[in-house]
Amino acid sequence: MTTKTYVPNPVSPRVLGHHWSAKADRLQSATGVLMGVFLLFHLHFESSILLGKDAFYHVVHFLEGSIFSDDGKGFPIITQIISVFMLAVFVLHALTALRRFPTQLGQWRALQSSLNTIRHSDTRIWYFQLLTGAALFFLVPVHLFEMIQAPNIGPNMSAERVYHDNTWVLYALLLPAVVVHAVFGLYRVAVKWGLTFQRHKLRRFAHGLMIYLMVLGIASLMCYLLIGSELTLPVTPYSPS
Amino acid sequence: MSQGRTLTFNIFRFDPQQPGDKPKMVSYQLDETPGMTVFIALNRLREEQDSSLQFDFVCRAGICGSCAMVINGMPTLACRTLTSKFSDATITLMPLPGFELIGDLSVNTGKFMREIAERLKLWLHPRGDGQDIHVLEAPMDPEEAARLYELERCVECGVCVSACATKQMRETFVGAVGLMKIARFELDSRDARSVDDFYHVIGNQDGVFGCMTLLGCQDNCPKDLPHMQQIAYLRRKMSATLVSC
């Protein structure tokens, strides 16, 4: 009988690279968390319209730095600066996340085959993230460019944009995609880096958060549509009575 | 009470060695007996109904990892799966995806495991130049031994490979079994390799940074190995090492 003995090679004392893999992984998680947290605030701020036009008016002007302006109306350029910043974060996230995207037909077939053969909920959740990520790749820049170009935010101007300019179509597509992608993205970052091992509790929380954000987003979108339908053109910016 | 049921087994059949054979699903009926496992059912089917049915087994006790297959969409060990857990009396059996098919439910996990062991150098690299077999081995801290034993429980069944969609999409990805075994040697104080050396082989897109945290490995491992914790540990440690260099 002959046997083959494996003699280990001398271990290299050098690290031969790969540091970009680690950096890209960190960057993807960091930009994802930043955008996920931003979304949580964003959805709550814009849904202040549910409390009335005055509430939304004051939220917008406060966030645009009204306390620092002489006329008390703030600086719309702040919205533009934040939009440009978020666009840069989005581009970084998209670039690093594209490493994960199946780029060959064979990979898509393997993925479909795996989904059909193996029943596994987290893999399905990731698949939805993949699909929503692809949708967001096209939808988010439209929203951000719109904010960079004409940041007319206010009860009447936003409602006009939603109803009369038909951007409700964009938001109707953007809302479910961004909520699913962001909520499960935050969940995945937490388990990926070992921030929690209470995975099942966290996933239940993520499901609850997703439903809550969807209800919040749909309710505020309906509210903007309702306000927009009552406006007559040309629309004038809202001023508190 | 499962006794008295007639079970229907839908089994994937294909023999690559048989010219002209095509993959197909074949149905078999079998009376269920108390305490019946899928492994017992397969043996009865082969003895009583179809002697050409191919599947692997050795230990019948969840130790050897040979009888892993996809049972009603769950990759797991046939010898540890009771038929009574399936309320609708229909059981679909598929071979583990991602491995070379030997025939029917039998796959060549051994070839895969050997390749991954050679690629990642999954054996102990002892400290020191010469090993004197007449000298007593240095005692190991019991806590360290327990930690190593926890990771050493892997039976190389291949379930984590089949359950991982990342591995199915990317042939070169090392998978949870590779990462688990690297973590085992990384913890071993007798191993001469440094953190950088370990990370050289898995600190890339085919290693720990290629893992997309789909957690099929964690949820399906029949030995309940802590894949999620180990991969997160490797990711954090490697990330800290490589980013700073």
Side-chain angles (χ1 to χ4, degrees):
Chain A
M1 192 178 92
T2 57
T3 56
K4 191 176 179 183
T5 306
Y6 289 93
V7 180
N9 293 326
V11 173
S12 166
R14 295 187 300 137
V15 176
L16 296 178
H18 311 305
H19 61 283
W20 276 109
S21 298
K23 284 179 179 168
D25 216 29
R26 279 187 168 194
L27 201 57
Q28 185 189 356
S29 294
T31 51
V33 168
L34 186 61
M35 287 195 292
V37 172
F38 178 84
L39 178 79
L40 290 176
F41 283 104
H42 180 26
L43 281 178
H44 283 92
F45 289 146
E46 61 91 5
S47 65
S48 61
I49 193 72
L50 295 170
L51 302 175
K53 285 186 176 184
D54 276 358
F56 184 61
Y57 177 87
H58 288 299
V59 166
V60 170
H61 283 88
F62 174 75
L63 292 173
E64 288 186 340
S66 59
I67 54 171
F68 302 110
S69 68
D70 295 334
D71 60 0
K73 290 184 178 177
F75 309 97
I77 195 170
I78 289 176
T79 302
Q80 287 172 299
I81 292 168
I82 291 172
S83 300
V84 169
F85 175 72
M86 290 312 294
L87 185 63
V89 174
F90 170 80
V91 168
L92 277 176
H93 186 72
L95 285 175
T96 49
L98 274 173
R99 294 172 306 141
R100 314 289 197 197
F101 202 82
T103 50
Q104 295 168 356
L105 188 59
Q107 289 179 317
W108 279 102
R109 283 189 181 140
L111 178 59
Q112 288 300 330
S113 171
S114 180
L115 289 167
N116 291 335
T117 313
I118 311 290
R119 283 188 300 142
H120 184 243
S121 54
D122 269 57
T123 304
R124 282 187 191 283
I125 287 172
W126 177 81
Y127 182 60
F128 287 127
Q129 266 197 291
L130 180 74
L131 297 180
T132 52
L136 292 171
F137 188 81
F138 299 101
L139 295 173
V140 170
V142 177
H143 179 50
L144 288 174
F145 279 126
E146 189 184 21
M147 288 298 108
I148 292 167
Q149 210 175 21
N152 296 321
I153 304 175
N156 288 356
M157 304 312 285
S158 296
E160 183 203 11
R161 200 171 56 247
V162 170
Y163 185 80
H164 291 287
D165 297 345
N166 289 320
T167 51
W168 66 268
V169 180
L170 173 71
Y171 296 135
L173 294 171
L174 192 57
L175 180 69
V178 79
V179 166
V180 169
H181 194 85
V183 169
F184 288 108
L186 290 171
Y187 156 77
R188 200 171 302 284
V189 167
V191 291
K192 178 179 180 175
W193 292 95
L195 304 178
T196 177
F197 296 129
Q198 302 285 320
R199 180 159 72 96
H200 296 291
K201 280 184 188 168
L202 188 65
R203 201 170 62 181
R204 275 201 297 276
F205 176 74
H207 275 108
L209 183 63
M210 184 184 72
I211 292 166
Y212 164 68
L213 292 177
M214 282 299 295
V215 169
L216 192 70
I218 291 169
S220 47
L221 184 59
M222 298 295 284
C223 193
Y224 284 115
L225 280 169
L226 200 66
I227 293 170
S229 67
E230 290 166 354
L231 294 172
T232 49
L233 294 172
V235 175
T236 51
Y238 176 79
S239 291
S241 52
Chain B
M1 187 67 184
S2 60
Q3 194 173 1
R5 292 194 305 176
T6 298
L7 301 173
T8 299
F9 286 88
N10 297 316
I11 302 179
F12 175 86
R13 301 297 311 269
F14 176 54
D15 187 351
Q17 307 299 325
Q18 200 74 257
D21 195 17
K22 295 255 191 304
K24 55 188 174 293
M25 299 300 290
V26 178
S27 286
Y28 300 90
Q29 263 77 43
L30 192 69
D31 290 336
E32 190 176 34
T33 52
M36 179 186 260
T37 61
V38 171
F39 162 76
I40 292 171
L42 282 169
N43 271 288
R44 277 190 51 197
L45 285 175
R46 183 155 67 178
E47 284 168 15
E48 299 167 13
Q49 299 187 34
D50 190 341
S51 60
S52 68
L53 186 60
Q54 297 182 67
F55 60 94
D56 295 320
F57 71 94
V58 178
C59 74
R60 300 170 292 169
I63 298 166
C64 71
S66 303
C67 63
M69 58 187 69
V70 182
I71 304 172
N72 280 357
M74 306 284 285
T76 189
L77 299 179
C79 67
R80 289 183 56 174
T81 307
L82 290 165
T83 54
S84 57
K85 76 180 265 195
F86 304 109
S87 55
D88 66 352
T90 301
I91 298 172
T92 301
L93 303 178
M94 302 284 286
L96 285 185
F99 295 99
E100 181 186 313
L101 183 73
I102 295 171
D104 300 339
L105 302 172
S106 174
V107 293
N108 196 346
T109 51
K111 183 181 173 186
F112 172 88
M113 295 300 169
R114 187 183 181 91
E115 283 172 358
I116 204 87
E118 289 175 8
R119 179 176 155 200
L120 301 180
K121 298 183 171 62
L122 297 175
W123 55 82
L124 191 80
H125 292 53
R127 292 180 182 280
D129 295 330
Q131 293 294 307
D132 185 351
I133 59 168
H134 300 294
V135 174
L136 280 177
E137 245 185 308
M140 180 181 278
D141 177 42
E143 285 184 12
E144 182 188 337
R147 280 200 303 275
L148 290 185
Y149 179 71
E150 171 68 6
L151 307 187
E152 194 65 63
R153 292 189 299 111
C154 174
V155 293
E156 300 187 357
C157 60
V159 161
C160 59
V161 174
S162 292
C164 176
T166 309
K167 175 66 185 163
Q168 301 303 310
M169 281 189 287
R170 300 226 320 271
E171 189 74 23
T172 50
F173 179 55
V174 299
V177 63
L179 296 172
M180 178 61 72
K181 284 177 178 289
I182 280 281
R184 176 250 177 273
F185 287 107
E186 200 271 326
L187 284 173
D188 196 329
S189 61
R190 297 169 301 171
D191 201 291
R193 287 172 286 186
S194 68
V195 171
D196 290 346
D197 296 320
F198 285 114
Y199 294 169
H200 172 52
V201 286
I202 56 161
N204 51 43
Q205 291 303 314
D206 288 335
V208 74
F209 297 119
C211 170
M212 299 193 288
T213 321
L214 309 187
L215 300 171
C217 53
Q218 172 75 27
D219 293 339
N220 291 286
C221 178
K223 305 303 283 186
D224 293 325
L225 289 169
H227 291 287
M228 186 174 81
Q229 288 94 326
Q230 285 307 319
I231 294 173
Y233 163 77
L234 284 176
R235 189 191 301 275
R236 285 198 308 270
K237 202 162 181 184
M238 193 175 328
S239 174
T241 306
L242 294 180
V243 168
S244 62
C245 72

